[in-house]
Amino acid sequence: MGAVVYSGLQAEHNATAAPGVKPVGIMIVTRLKAQADEVVSDINAYVGRHVAVADHTDSRATPEQLHESDIVVITHAAYTRAKETLSGVNADRWHRLTRWRGGRRLLTIIDEALANVVEHTQLKLDELSRVIGHITHEMRLSHAVEVNALETLRECMLFQAGANDGFGVGTSLAWEAGGSLEDIAPLSIMSCRALAGAPRAAS
Protein backbone atom coordinates (compact mmCIF):
# COMPACT_ATOMS: atom_id res chain seq x y z
CA MET A 1 0.00 0.00 0.00
CA GLY A 2 1.53 3.24 -1.16
CA ALA A 3 0.07 5.15 1.79
CA VAL A 4 2.11 2.99 4.17
CA VAL A 5 5.41 3.82 2.50
CA TYR A 6 4.53 7.48 2.03
CA SER A 7 3.41 7.87 5.64
CA GLY A 8 6.53 6.11 6.91
CA LEU A 9 8.80 8.32 4.85
CA GLN A 10 6.95 11.41 6.05
CA ALA A 11 7.32 10.34 9.68
CA GLU A 12 11.06 9.91 9.16
CA HIS A 13 11.23 13.30 7.49
CA ASN A 14 9.39 14.85 10.44
CA ALA A 15 11.97 13.40 12.82
CA THR A 16 14.96 14.67 10.83
CA ALA A 17 13.60 17.96 9.50
CA ALA A 18 15.64 21.08 10.07
CA PRO A 19 14.51 23.57 12.71
CA GLY A 20 11.70 25.75 11.43
CA VAL A 21 10.42 23.15 8.96
CA LYS A 22 6.79 22.36 9.78
CA PRO A 23 6.16 18.63 10.29
CA VAL A 24 3.29 17.04 8.38
CA GLY A 25 0.82 15.00 10.38
CA ILE A 26 -1.32 12.48 8.49
CA MET A 27 -4.78 11.02 8.96
CA ILE A 28 -5.58 7.80 7.10
CA VAL A 29 -9.22 6.71 6.77
CA THR A 30 -9.98 3.04 6.09
CA ARG A 31 -13.25 1.18 5.62
CA LEU A 32 -12.78 -1.43 8.36
CA LYS A 33 -11.26 -1.48 11.85
CA ALA A 34 -9.12 -4.49 10.91
CA GLN A 35 -7.72 -2.51 7.99
CA ALA A 36 -6.89 0.39 10.31
CA ASP A 37 -4.97 -1.94 12.63
CA GLU A 38 -3.13 -3.49 9.68
CA VAL A 39 -2.11 -0.10 8.28
CA VAL A 40 -0.79 1.00 11.68
CA SER A 41 1.16 -2.22 12.08
CA ASP A 42 2.65 -1.93 8.59
CA ILE A 43 3.69 1.71 9.05
CA ASN A 44 5.31 1.11 12.43
CA ALA A 45 7.11 -1.96 11.06
CA TYR A 46 8.33 0.02 8.05
CA VAL A 47 9.70 2.85 10.19
CA GLY A 48 10.94 0.62 12.99
CA ARG A 49 9.26 2.58 15.78
CA HIS A 50 5.79 3.71 16.82
CA VAL A 51 4.79 6.64 14.65
CA ALA A 52 1.20 5.58 13.84
CA VAL A 53 -1.79 4.79 16.03
CA ALA A 54 -5.27 3.44 15.31
CA ASP A 55 -8.32 4.97 16.92
CA HIS A 56 -11.60 3.05 16.77
CA THR A 57 -14.06 1.40 19.14
CA ASP A 58 -11.96 -1.76 19.50
CA SER A 59 -8.68 0.09 19.98
CA ARG A 60 -9.19 3.56 21.39
CA ALA A 61 -6.08 5.74 21.34
CA THR A 62 -5.35 7.93 24.35
CA PRO A 63 -5.20 11.71 23.95
CA GLU A 64 -1.44 11.45 24.51
CA GLN A 65 -1.06 8.90 21.70
CA LEU A 66 -3.08 11.05 19.32
CA HIS A 67 -0.98 14.07 20.25
CA GLU A 68 2.37 12.33 19.78
CA SER A 69 1.69 10.15 16.70
CA ASP A 70 2.65 11.39 13.26
CA ILE A 71 -0.11 9.27 11.74
CA VAL A 72 -3.58 8.45 13.05
CA VAL A 73 -5.69 5.80 11.31
CA ILE A 74 -9.47 5.75 11.71
CA THR A 75 -12.46 4.22 9.94
CA HIS A 76 -14.92 5.80 7.51
CA ALA A 77 -17.62 5.63 10.21
CA ALA A 78 -15.41 7.37 12.77
CA TYR A 79 -14.48 10.07 10.26
CA THR A 80 -18.13 10.75 9.44
CA ARG A 81 -19.17 10.84 13.11
CA ALA A 82 -16.33 13.20 13.99
CA LYS A 83 -17.26 15.54 11.14
CA GLU A 84 -20.87 15.58 12.30
CA THR A 85 -19.79 16.85 15.73
CA LEU A 86 -17.59 19.58 14.26
CA SER A 87 -19.93 22.41 15.27
CA GLY A 88 -21.53 20.71 18.27
CA VAL A 89 -20.74 20.16 21.91
CA ASN A 90 -18.48 17.22 21.01
CA ALA A 91 -16.33 19.21 18.60
CA ASP A 92 -13.26 18.28 20.66
CA ARG A 93 -13.41 14.80 19.09
CA TRP A 94 -12.56 16.25 15.66
CA HIS A 95 -9.94 18.49 17.24
CA ARG A 96 -8.18 15.54 18.90
CA LEU A 97 -8.05 13.63 15.61
CA THR A 98 -6.83 16.49 13.47
CA ARG A 99 -4.34 18.13 15.85
CA TRP A 100 -1.05 16.72 17.11
CA ARG A 101 2.24 17.97 18.49
CA GLY A 102 3.11 19.34 15.04
CA GLY A 103 -0.05 21.43 14.81
CA ARG A 104 -2.88 20.64 12.44
CA ARG A 105 -2.66 17.39 10.47
CA LEU A 106 -2.05 18.65 6.95
CA LEU A 107 -2.79 15.49 4.97
CA THR A 108 -5.80 13.16 4.92
CA ILE A 109 -5.65 9.92 2.92
CA ILE A 110 -8.93 8.09 2.27
CA ASP A 111 -8.31 4.61 0.89
CA GLU A 112 -11.80 4.16 -0.58
CA ALA A 113 -14.65 6.48 -1.52
CA LEU A 114 -16.68 7.55 1.49
CA ALA A 115 -20.31 6.54 1.12
CA ASN A 116 -23.27 8.68 2.15
CA VAL A 117 -21.22 11.62 3.41
CA VAL A 118 -22.56 14.22 0.99
CA GLU A 119 -25.64 15.84 2.45
CA HIS A 120 -28.03 18.20 0.71
CA THR A 121 -30.19 20.69 2.57
CA GLN A 122 -33.10 22.24 0.73
CA LEU A 123 -35.09 25.34 1.56
CA LYS A 124 -38.14 26.28 -0.51
CA LEU A 125 -39.17 29.85 -1.12
CA ASP A 126 -42.63 29.49 0.42
CA GLU A 127 -41.12 27.88 3.54
CA LEU A 128 -38.61 30.72 3.87
CA SER A 129 -41.38 33.31 3.50
CA ARG A 130 -43.41 31.53 6.18
CA VAL A 131 -40.46 31.55 8.60
CA ILE A 132 -39.79 35.26 8.01
CA GLY A 133 -43.46 35.97 8.66
CA HIS A 134 -43.16 34.44 12.14
CA ILE A 135 -40.19 36.61 13.17
CA THR A 136 -41.19 38.94 15.98
CA HIS A 137 -40.01 42.50 16.47
CA GLU A 138 -37.95 41.40 19.48
CA MET A 139 -36.22 38.70 17.41
CA ARG A 140 -35.42 41.24 14.70
CA LEU A 141 -33.74 43.46 17.26
CA SER A 142 -31.74 40.68 18.93
CA HIS A 143 -30.78 38.83 15.70
CA ALA A 144 -30.52 41.64 13.18
CA VAL A 145 -27.72 40.09 11.10
CA GLU A 146 -29.43 36.71 10.82
CA VAL A 147 -32.82 38.22 9.96
CA ASN A 148 -31.22 40.46 7.34
CA ALA A 149 -29.50 37.42 5.82
CA LEU A 150 -32.81 35.53 5.60
CA GLU A 151 -34.55 38.48 3.98
CA THR A 152 -31.69 39.01 1.53
CA LEU A 153 -31.76 35.33 0.63
CA ARG A 154 -35.51 35.57 0.03
CA GLU A 155 -34.99 38.60 -2.24
CA CYS A 156 -32.39 36.69 -4.24
CA MET A 157 -34.66 33.67 -4.55
CA LEU A 158 -37.58 35.86 -5.64
CA PHE A 159 -35.45 37.62 -8.23
CA GLN A 160 -34.09 34.34 -9.60
CA ALA A 161 -37.59 32.88 -9.77
CA GLY A 162 -38.75 35.95 -11.65
CA ALA A 163 -35.80 35.74 -14.06
CA ASN A 164 -36.68 32.13 -14.87
CA ASP A 165 -40.41 32.74 -15.06
CA GLY A 166 -41.69 31.74 -18.47
CA PHE A 167 -38.81 29.43 -19.29
CA GLY A 168 -40.55 26.42 -17.76
CA VAL A 169 -37.60 25.51 -15.55
CA GLY A 170 -37.16 25.24 -11.82
CA THR A 171 -35.05 27.64 -9.81
CA SER A 172 -32.31 26.87 -7.31
CA LEU A 173 -29.54 28.71 -5.53
CA ALA A 174 -26.52 26.98 -4.04
CA TRP A 175 -23.53 27.87 -1.88
CA GLU A 176 -20.52 25.90 -0.76
CA ALA A 177 -20.43 23.71 2.33
CA GLY A 178 -19.25 25.65 5.34
CA GLY A 179 -20.98 28.83 4.24
CA SER A 180 -23.30 30.58 6.66
CA LEU A 181 -26.17 33.00 6.55
CA GLU A 182 -23.73 35.75 7.47
CA ASP A 183 -21.99 35.11 4.14
CA ILE A 184 -25.22 36.04 2.37
CA ALA A 185 -26.02 39.13 4.41
CA PRO A 186 -23.80 41.58 2.47
CA LEU A 187 -25.57 40.73 -0.78
CA SER A 188 -27.77 43.40 -2.30
CA ILE A 189 -30.51 43.00 -4.85
CA MET A 190 -28.03 44.22 -7.47
CA SER A 191 -25.65 41.39 -6.59
CA CYS A 192 -28.61 39.02 -6.86
CA ARG A 193 -29.13 40.21 -10.41
CA ALA A 194 -25.46 39.64 -11.14
CA LEU A 195 -25.61 36.16 -9.66
CA ALA A 196 -28.75 35.26 -11.57
CA GLY A 197 -27.17 35.24 -15.03
CA ALA A 198 -28.82 32.94 -17.52
CA PRO A 199 -31.81 30.82 -16.48
CA ARG A 200 -30.80 27.54 -14.85
CA ALA A 201 -32.78 24.36 -14.48
CA ALA A 202 -32.93 22.82 -11.04
CA SER A 203 -31.12 19.51 -10.81
Side-chain angles (χ1 to χ4, degrees), residues 122-136 139-140 147 150-151 153-155 157-158:
Q122 187 179 68
L123 175 65
K124 295 183 179 180
L125 181 56
D126 57 346
E127 295 171 344
L128 178 59
S129 298
R130 189 179 308 114
V131 169
I132 292 175
H134 287 291
I135 298 175
T136 64
M139 291 177 66
R140 287 180 177 276
V147 173
L150 289 175
E151 291 180 332
L153 174 61
R154 181 175 179 272
E155 289 178 1
M157 293 176 73
L158 282 169

Side-chain angles (χ1 to χ4, degrees), residues 83-95:
K83 286 283 286 184
E84 288 173 348
T85 66
L86 186 56
S87 59
V89 295
N90 295 320
D92 59 327
R93 169 68 176 157
W94 180 255
H95 183 85

Side-chain angles (χ1 to χ4, degrees), residues 105-179:
R105 295 188 187 276
L106 300 177
L107 177 63
T108 299
I109 301 173
I110 301 176
D111 69 338
E112 296 179 37
L114 285 166
N116 303 319
V117 296
V118 178
E119 297 181 2
H120 299 276
T121 302
Q122 187 179 68
L123 175 65
K124 295 183 179 180
L125 181 56
D126 57 346
E127 295 171 344
L128 178 59
S129 298
R130 189 179 308 114
V131 169
I132 292 175
H134 287 291
I135 298 175
T136 64
H137 178 68
E138 291 75 15
M139 291 177 66
R140 287 180 177 276
L141 292 177
S142 59
H143 301 284
V145 173
E146 291 80 0
V147 173
N148 183 57
L150 289 175
E151 291 180 332
T152 303
L153 174 61
R154 181 175 179 272
E155 289 178 1
C156 287
M157 293 176 73
L158 282 169
F159 181 85
Q160 183 68 62
N164 282 354
D165 189 34
F167 287 94
V169 297
T171 301
S172 63
L173 298 175
W175 58 87
E176 294 182 357

